[in-house]
Amino acid sequence: MIGLISATAAGAAARDRLAAAWPDRTRVYEGPVGDAVRTAFAQCEQLVCFLATGAVVRLVAPLLSGKTEDPGVVCVDEGGRFAVSLLGGHAGGANELAREVGDLLGAEPVVTTATDAVDLAGLDTLGLPVEGDVAGVSRALLDGEAVALRTEVAWPLPPLPVADEGAYTIRLTDRLVEGAEREAVLRPPTLVVGVGASKGAPVEEVLALVRDALREAGLSAASVAELATVDAKAEEAGIVEAARRLGVPLVTYSAEELAGVDVPNPSDAPLAAVGTPSVAEAAALVGGGELLVPKRKSAASPAMATCAVVRRPGRGRLAVVGLGPGARDLLTPRAKAELRRASVLVGLDQYVDQIRDLLRPGTRILESGLGAEEERARTAVEQARTGQAVALIGSGDAGVYAMASPALAEASDDIDVVGVPGVTAALAAGAILGAPLGHDHVSISLSDLHTPWEVIERRVRAAAEADIVVTFYNPRSRGRDWQLPKALGILSEHRAPQTPVGVVRNASRPDESSRLTTLGSLDPATVDMMTVVTVGNTATRDIAGRMVTPRGYRWQAAQEGAE
């Protein structure tokens, strides 16, 4: 919960804007400011104070206990010009909160955390438990000193300026080890603990079993991703509470699913009780992996709990990112976040140039020229399979005539794949022209490099007969100058010469140009590969120089009746 505190009318107005925008995330604290801050500090994960930073410093100073316990605090000035991350920039999420508040209120976020200031991923912002000499290793990264990355288990990380050797080390491990001098230890969630229990098994017995199994195997409890069991034990109090105390989710599987998992130590007892010859081992092994701790029983007599531990292989991550039509303000926040998260970027060289400044230091860039789409897709998938966090970029929406199709054709279920939508050329052009896509519409590429012309022609003819608005991608190039006239001719068999046609070149880019013409007047020679051509249907009209397709035909009938 985010506590909101203000002292003036202007502050209250800005406060109320946040409260209205985030009704489920915020709570307004009224009354004397000192009391409000103290109460909110004790009750909330974050605070936004519409007060001077000096006042907030004096109020929260006596309340501070430690960076991992204190809430994040953001201050907004009286004029609403700045959102200052004052306390808990990373651990308390104040840096990100300052950016969110800034976006909503139109204020400039002020972040002074050193790693954020130089656009370096902080070790305590990676979403992984971290221990050891975090401050020393972070300072070495900031100072440009050589920091080595030791990966004992694969896990996708954002870009870090690391070397093969160095006086400082980042160690990625799920082993129960203490960080050496000048070493920071990151704990990826690679371990799955399968648990079985008799009815009424005490939580202390379940917890002691899990912790002993991990310790004796030399594994860190901080790397446990989940507890897993059979559906019949989904509400077993000892298991549920053990998961809560460990701070991990409880995942359950049906007896049928578990019975299909090959395990080294099946037993008749669970088969009779819940319908599967294994609970602990099978639940841990459902997703595959290496069995590090075979089934073992608790030390109590009689034993009421069993557990097994599996290390699941680290999965690489492939984000297929649509960059939009070209304008920076049409690049979505999600796309920006994925670009900053990726340690490897794969893309067409001219698209890489568009967003190079958004990448974090240390990002490895694999770029190539036109015509290498399948090669880029293979490269991106191969990099993800090595455990990397990879971004594969394309213009517009990556799923529309772009990189998502070849990439997903190469990818199997051994990596995680995320699609990030982007503003397509058709949408960008439509917004420039007016509202040509107000009713049913279709996009058709006229390039026959990947699709036989006979198939393209059949699709154009179907759209013409169905009276659907058509947007043509790849309409004309030097080597393909006859396809557009042919497609327009097919449409002309079903639409009048005065049918509006919108022509947009380089939509949203600095040299953008557009014009509204008609089906009978369009000269195909004025169109090239950087152009999108949108042909209206029989209801589309030119209204005040804008191309408009009504959502229904009642509007058209009313207009014709008025005439």
Side-chain angles (χ1 to χ4, degrees):
M1 185 63 66
I2 303 172
L4 305 179
I5 302 104
S6 62
T8 66
R15 175 203 69 191
D16 292 345
R17 286 178 61 191
L18 282 189
W22 300 337
D24 298 328
R25 298 177 60 191
T26 57
R27 179 187 303 164
V28 173
Y29 286 80
E30 304 277 9
V33 169
D35 294 341
V37 169
R38 283 188 289 272
T39 304
F41 198 92
Q43 295 179 347
C44 298
E45 292 81 21
Q46 296 175 319
L47 279 68
V48 178
C49 300
F50 297 86
L51 306 165
T53 54
V56 178
V57 168
R58 286 190 291 273
L59 289 170
V60 304
L63 310 176
L64 302 180
S65 58
K67 66 182 296 182
T68 59
E69 295 85 20
D70 296 332
V73 178
V74 171
C75 292
V76 179
D77 66 291
E78 182 76 4
R81 296 172 299 168
F82 304 103
V84 182
S85 174
L86 183 69
L87 178 69
H90 286 168
N95 291 351
E96 184 57 33
L97 180 59
R99 297 184 182 101
E100 289 187 84
V101 171
D103 287 343
L104 188 60
L105 300 180
E108 179 71 23
V110 178
V111 176
T112 58
T113 309
T115 50
D116 291 69
V118 298
D119 204 21
L120 181 69
L123 297 181
D124 54 353
T125 67
L126 304 182
L128 303 178
V130 59
E131 57 195 59
D133 188 11
V134 179
V137 174
S138 297
R139 187 166 52 250
L141 290 170
L142 289 166
D143 290 343
E145 296 188 46
V147 177
L149 177 63
R150 300 281 183 261
T151 55
E152 297 176 9
V153 289
W155 198 260
L157 294 176
L160 294 167
V162 293
D164 293 333
E165 300 292 337
Y168 292 83
T169 304
I170 299 171
R171 186 175 180 182
L172 191 68
T173 183
D174 56 15
R175 290 287 176 186
L176 187 61
V177 295
E178 292 186 8
E181 185 180 0
R182 296 186 173 186
E183 181 177 70
V185 180
L186 292 170
R187 305 285 190 189
T190 56
L191 305 178
V192 178
V193 179
V195 178
S198 302
K199 184 175 177 59
V203 61
E204 290 77 12
E205 182 174 343
V206 177
L207 272 177
L209 171 63
V210 171
R211 287 170 173 161
D212 288 347
L214 291 169
R215 184 181 63 255
E216 292 173 19
L219 300 170
S220 172
S223 283
V224 174
E226 62 190 43
L227 257 59
T229 191
V230 66
D231 283 348
K233 298 296 179 180
E235 298 182 6
E236 185 64 46
I239 296 177
V240 172
E241 180 62 15
R244 189 192 70 80
R245 293 191 192 180
L246 289 169
V248 298
L250 176 63
V251 179
T252 64
Y253 301 97
S254 70
E256 183 180 7
E257 287 180 279
L258 297 186
V261 178
D262 187 29
V263 298
N265 300 293
S267 172
D268 292 335
L271 180 61
V274 295
T276 172
S278 173
V279 173
E281 287 182 339
L285 284 165
V286 166
E290 178 187 3
L291 183 63
L292 302 178
V293 179
K295 181 181 73 175
R296 58 181 288 171
K297 296 181 179 180
S298 54
S301 183
M304 298 185 72
T306 60
C307 83
V309 183
V310 164
R311 176 188 287 138
R312 288 186 179 170
R315 292 171 63 87
R317 188 175 190 276
L318 173 62
V320 188
V321 181
L323 300 180
R328 179 58 59 86
D329 59 354
L330 292 181
L331 178 66
T332 67
R334 187 179 300 181
K336 292 178 183 178
E338 289 294 346
L339 294 175
R340 292 168 58 78
R341 177 174 181 165
S343 58
V344 179
L345 182 86
V346 181
L348 179 67
D349 47 14
Q350 63 189 55
Y351 297 154
V352 171
D353 289 341
Q354 290 180 24
I355 48 83
R356 196 183 296 271
D357 62 300
L358 297 177
L359 305 177
R360 287 189 187 274
T363 304
R364 187 155 55 95
I365 299 174
L366 304 177
E367 54 188 317
S368 53
L370 286 168
E373 289 83 1
E374 293 181 355
E375 178 187 341
R376 284 194 291 274
R378 282 193 296 271
T379 297
V381 171
E382 289 168 0
Q383 290 294 317
R385 283 181 175 144
T386 67
Q388 303 285 338
V390 181
L392 174 63
I393 59 173
S395 66
D397 183 285
V400 179
Y401 303 123
M403 294 305 302
S405 295
L408 269 61
E410 291 285 337
S412 52
D413 61 359
D414 57 345
I415 62 173
D416 295 324
V417 179
V418 177
V420 181
V423 178
T424 68
L427 295 179
I432 293 165
L433 294 169
L437 309 182
H439 207 295
D440 296 336
H441 54 275
V442 63
S443 295
I444 299 176
S445 171
L446 294 183
S447 171
D448 55 3
L449 295 177
H450 300 286
T451 306
W453 174 253
E454 293 76 14
V455 175
I456 297 172
E457 182 174 341
R458 187 165 66 247
R459 292 170 180 172
V460 174
R461 195 170 299 280
E465 293 173 352
D467 197 26
I468 296 176
V469 175
V470 182
T471 298
F472 288 124
Y473 281 67
N474 305 312
R476 185 177 181 275
S477 68
R478 291 179 181 177
R480 295 185 301 99
D481 59 359
W482 59 268
Q483 286 91 338
L484 179 58
K486 177 68 173 178
L488 295 175
I490 294 171
L491 292 175
S492 297
E493 296 172 11
H494 300 270
R495 301 179 195 183
Q498 63 269 27
T499 300
V501 175
V503 181
V504 180
R505 188 176 191 278
N506 283 333
S508 87
R509 300 189 182 189
D511 56 346
E512 168 191 300
S513 64
S514 65
R515 68 183 188 278
L516 188 57
T517 182
T518 64
L519 186 57
S521 302
L522 175 62
D523 180 4
T526 63
V527 173
D528 63 13
M529 285 290 286
M530 306 304 294
T531 306
V532 171
V533 177
T534 300
V535 181
N537 64 13
T538 57
T540 306
R541 295 289 183 268
D542 178 344
I543 302 175
R546 302 181 185 93
M547 188 175 177
V548 179
T549 302
R551 293 184 61 186
Y553 284 86
R554 285 181 294 178
W555 175 87
Q556 180 187 12
Q559 183 189 53
E560 292 172 349
E563 294 173 352

